[in-house]
Amino acid sequence: MDTEQPQYGYGRDGRPLGSPRDRDAEALRRALRRAGLRDFDERHLDGFAVEGANASLDGPESFSVAYCGTSDVPQTMARYRTALEQAGYRVDADSLDEHVLLVPRQPAQAVTSSEQMLMAAAVVCAVVAALALLASWIGSGAMRLAGGVGSAVFGVLAVFLAGLWYRRRTGLD
């Protein structure tokens, strides 16, 4: 059975992320959730909704972060603003609706030097693991043992560092 997967995977509750805007809207939702805020849904009628993912596949239009509730609107909107700003987003108030914040679409993320260092370290560990594996195949006795252990250790380290890099790039950390 060949089912087509959305290009950017799935968000929370199986929401398909088929465009860059879907992915970026989910990143906004994750930032709000990490701050302890809840999505609006059938169980939580007092939560946030991120709109604008379907405005176009990759357009520059701003996202709307709406508070779907009535209790203490100014304080709730301040919490939304703080959470988004701490996550690195620029946030503007909507002059027409006190329940809405406007979040301009962020330009594509540049790779930071710490991300470059993580990926470089992961690549170096992967190369060392491959060389150690080769040594374990060619060598005998202590060389074979050291190569096998080294291959396993550096292979695991390479995967761990690559995983850290991935989490940083996708905002999962």
Side-chain angles (χ1 to χ4, degrees):
M1 181 192 266
D2 188 27
T3 60
E4 190 172 324
Q5 298 290 320
Q7 183 174 2
Y8 297 96
Y10 292 94
R12 187 175 192 182
D13 297 329
R15 179 191 314 250
L17 307 176
S19 73
R21 286 189 68 83
D22 292 339
R23 175 203 58 212
D24 294 348
E26 187 62 23
L28 288 168
R29 292 182 194 101
R30 268 195 314 270
L32 291 165
R33 289 182 202 122
R34 275 194 302 255
L37 303 166
R38 291 192 297 215
D39 294 74
F40 172 81
D41 60 22
E42 298 95 31
R43 296 174 307 218
H44 305 106
L45 301 178
D46 199 33
F48 68 83
V50 176
E51 301 298 328
N54 299 330
S56 68
L57 290 179
D58 200 18
E61 299 87 0
S62 293
F63 291 101
S64 297
V65 176
Y67 171 51
C68 305
T70 56
S71 62
D72 204 5
V73 175
Q75 183 180 9
T76 302
M77 296 310 290
R79 288 178 60 208
Y80 287 6
R81 176 185 287 275
T82 300
L84 292 168
E85 287 175 344
Q86 286 178 347
Y89 291 98
R90 195 180 96 218
V91 181
D92 301 316
D94 185 337
S95 60
L96 301 176
D97 190 345
E98 71 174 353
H99 286 81
V100 175
L101 296 173
L102 301 174
V103 181
R105 178 110 190 267
Q106 305 292 326
Q109 270 188 330
V111 176
T112 64
S113 62
S114 67
E115 289 173 343
Q116 286 176 330
M117 295 289 285
L118 268 177
M119 185 48 74
V123 168
V124 167
C125 286
V127 169
V128 171
L131 291 174
L133 183 61
L134 184 61
S136 75
W137 289 342
I138 295 172
S140 62
M143 173 73 101
R144 176 170 272 184
L145 177 62
V149 170
S151 175
V153 169
F154 282 102
V156 168
L157 189 56
V159 170
F160 176 74
L161 292 171
L164 286 177
W165 173 85
Y166 176 78
R167 287 180 62 85
R168 283 192 185 174
R169 282 302 285 167
T170 58
L172 295 173
D173 59 344

